Amino acid sequence: MILFVNTFITNDKPNFKLSYQRGNLHTDDKLDILKYSLYSFSKAYKWSKVILYIQLDEHYNSRENELKQYCEEIFGDIIYRNKRNEYQNDWKESYELLDDNLIWFYCNHDHIFFDSNTSYLEELIDEMKNEKLCSLQFSHWSENIRTAKVGGVSPPKDSKTYQIHNNHISVVSDNFDSIQIITKELYRRWWFEGEFNHIKLPRPDFFGIGLAEIKPMPMHKVIIPLKEICRHFDGYQHIQPIIDNNQCPSITIPPGFFKNDIKIRYGYNDYKEGWTNINPKNNNYYAYDISGADYKFTLNDLPLIWKDKISVIDSNIKTDDDEMIQHRLKAIFDMVVTSPYFEVDEEVINKIFNKYLENFNYKIDA
């Protein structure tokens, strides 16, 4: 699979309003968020090729060498360019570089690989390898899982295409989000069918006008995972109905991440500044309420991308492992069942629980 990043880093506000609500969290530097995202991808998969088209505005231009060197350090060999694709002919030219059937297609800067290992992603990719027209939603998991039964996030929605498989859900849709794993043939059909080189399209779902406003889009199988693979840095309060910061919260770069000095504090009820505070038993997330925890992981399912960055783990000796796992499942349930307007099948919830419980060698009988 090829990692293909096409993005623009700027502090300018878009000419439309997105209601990102970070609650009690500070906002990190955008280039640092991109570096956090790219580092997470460097741990997510063994890429056959890495293509990075990253354009910086004048505010960040002085850091271009820093970014390029960082990318070379974490990925090794890369194809790097300081200008992103913006028109159809740019995307056609890039097609010549795509010598793999699968592309991790990413036109953002702020989605973080958050799984505790790579085994589930590898499992899904193995299933996709021989698909012709297919995509996989690797982020916005809470949103995608709750809308699956109605046919997915994007219209036209056809609930009759909803299927529950052994290790994922699928629908049929024309979804053209710019945060998906896509097949090479889907890429080709997006960018080679029709003539629209006069329209600026630095991403297929460009704000104001996207591919679907220009031409018919190919219907294809869309895979929805049973685990959260990536988290959007600013959470999901910009969607309707909102998924709030006490269900699937916004996140920050852990203190000490870039210095290999993450300090984990686990199982405590109080909050310690400068540490990453984790407690699945806490009723709240810090983003939502200052009495809350930063995250509700257990020590067994910390994000993979933190594991070689942690310097200290202070674990409360009074924690009960089984109790923590139960509360972890409750936190996952709260990420899945976020609105009375959507139904998530009990079978799907059990599959989700069992996929997470693989980390603990447990299983819930259906």
Side-chain angles (χ1 to χ4, degrees):
M1 180 165 60
I2 294 170
L3 173 62
F4 188 0
V5 178
N6 190 79
T7 194
F8 176 52
I9 305 302
T10 179
N11 281 336
D12 291 345
K13 301 292 184 183
N15 57 4
F16 59 91
K17 186 175 181 181
L18 285 175
S19 55
Y20 293 137
Q21 301 292 331
R22 293 185 54 79
N24 296 311
L25 303 182
H26 68 268
T27 298
D28 287 287
D29 174 87
K30 285 189 176 180
L31 192 62
D32 286 344
I33 296 170
L34 172 65
K35 290 170 67 175
Y36 187 41
S37 175
L38 293 175
Y39 180 85
S40 79
F41 295 166
S42 76
K43 299 295 183 181
Y45 196 74
K46 294 180 180 179
W47 310 103
S48 60
K49 182 180 289 182
V50 176
I51 304 169
L52 305 176
Y53 293 169
I54 303 172
Q55 189 169 331
L56 307 180
D57 77 357
E58 58 185 14
H59 178 80
Y60 292 106
N61 269 341
S62 62
R63 297 180 64 187
E64 186 174 317
N65 286 338
E66 169 199 335
L67 176 62
K68 185 172 185 290
Q69 289 173 11
Y70 183 77
C71 293
E72 289 170 341
E73 288 172 8
I74 61 176
F75 290 115
D77 291 335
I78 58 175
I79 297 172
Y80 187 94
R81 194 178 76 185
N82 62 4
K83 187 180 186 305
R84 66 174 172 173
N85 288 346
E86 292 189 336
Y87 292 92
Q88 181 184 18
N89 286 347
D90 298 330
W91 292 107
K92 285 184 173 181
E93 183 179 335
S94 296
Y95 182 77
E96 301 303 318
L97 298 173
L98 305 180
D99 52 0
D100 197 305
N101 187 46
L102 296 181
I103 303 114
W104 182 290
F105 189 80
Y106 185 59
C107 299
N108 292 57
H109 75 290
D110 55 355
H111 295 257
I112 314 301
F113 178 73
F114 237 35
D115 202 350
S116 57
N117 57 63
T118 63
S119 60
Y120 181 51
L121 177 60
E122 291 166 359
E123 187 180 318
L124 293 174
I125 290 168
D126 283 342
E127 293 200 15
M128 282 187 74
K129 279 181 177 176
N130 296 320
E131 295 279 358
K132 188 171 184 181
L133 284 178
C134 186
S135 70
L136 184 150
Q137 298 277 310
F138 62 71
S139 194
H140 284 245
W141 183 62
S142 293
E143 179 185 14
N144 286 303
I145 206 76
R146 76 178 187 181
T147 56
K149 195 170 182 178
V150 298
V153 173
S154 304
K157 301 176 182 180
D158 185 355
S159 61
K160 294 177 183 178
T161 68
Y162 166 72
Q163 292 186 43
I164 303 173
H165 304 268
N166 180 50
N167 66 349
H168 66 275
I169 302 168
S170 72
V171 297
V172 173
S173 169
D174 68 353
N175 193 302
F176 56 101
D177 288 350
S178 59
I179 42 171
Q180 299 189 85
I181 297 172
I182 62 173
T183 58
K184 183 178 179 179
E185 176 63 10
L186 186 57
Y187 179 104
R188 187 194 67 79
R189 292 195 60 181
W190 281 359
W191 300 112
F192 282 78
E193 293 181 350
E195 296 295 333
F196 47 91
N197 193 55
H198 59 291
I199 299 173
K200 184 177 180 179
L201 283 169
R203 49 192 290 163
D205 54 351
F206 194 46
F207 313 114
I209 184 168
L211 285 177
E213 285 76 44
I214 298 169
K215 62 172 194 165
M217 296 298 290
M219 301 297 288
H220 63 276
K221 177 182 177 181
V222 179
I223 292 174
I224 300 166
L226 295 175
K227 287 182 77 177
E228 183 180 39
I229 295 176
C230 291
R231 173 80 58 90
H232 182 226
F233 201 81
D234 287 322
Y236 303 107
Q237 296 194 71
H238 59 297
I239 63 174
Q240 293 297 327
I242 67 168
I243 298 172
D244 70 34
N245 276 326
N246 220 24
Q247 295 170 315
C248 189
S250 306
I251 58 176
T252 61
I253 301 172
F257 175 81
F258 289 113
K259 296 180 179 179
N260 299 335
D261 191 26
I262 296 176
K263 297 179 174 67
I264 300 290
R265 199 160 181 268
Y266 181 69
Y268 292 97
N269 292 325
D270 61 328
Y271 191 93
K272 190 171 183 179
E273 293 290 343
W275 290 63
T276 298
N277 297 267
I278 300 174
N279 187 358
K281 289 181 64 177
N282 198 307
N283 290 328
N284 298 311
Y285 286 100
Y286 182 84
Y288 181 82
D289 189 291
I290 58 171
S291 68
D294 293 317
Y295 301 97
K296 297 186 183 182
F297 305 120
T298 70
L299 293 180
N300 276 44
D301 65 346
L302 296 177
L304 174 67
I305 64 167
W306 294 357
K307 291 182 180 177
D308 60 356
K309 301 284 188 177
I310 295 171
S311 59
V312 178
I313 297 179
D314 176 7
S315 180
N316 189 338
I317 60 172
K318 296 180 180 180
T319 58
D320 178 277
D321 289 345
D322 287 343
E323 188 179 13
M324 295 301 244
I325 293 169
Q326 292 172 19
H327 283 274
R328 172 67 172 137
L329 291 181
K330 171 62 167 59
I332 293 163
F333 180 86
D334 291 342
M335 291 172 63
V336 171
V337 181
T338 58
S339 169
Y341 298 105
F342 298 102
E343 180 186 1
V344 182
D345 287 330
E346 184 178 350
E347 179 185 358
V348 170
I349 292 172
N350 283 336
K351 283 179 174 290
I352 289 169
F353 283 166
N354 280 327
K355 184 53 67 176
Y356 275 93
L357 285 171
E358 288 177 6
N359 281 325
F360 309 96
N361 296 315
Y362 287 171
K363 185 176 183 180
I364 297 173
D365 293 331

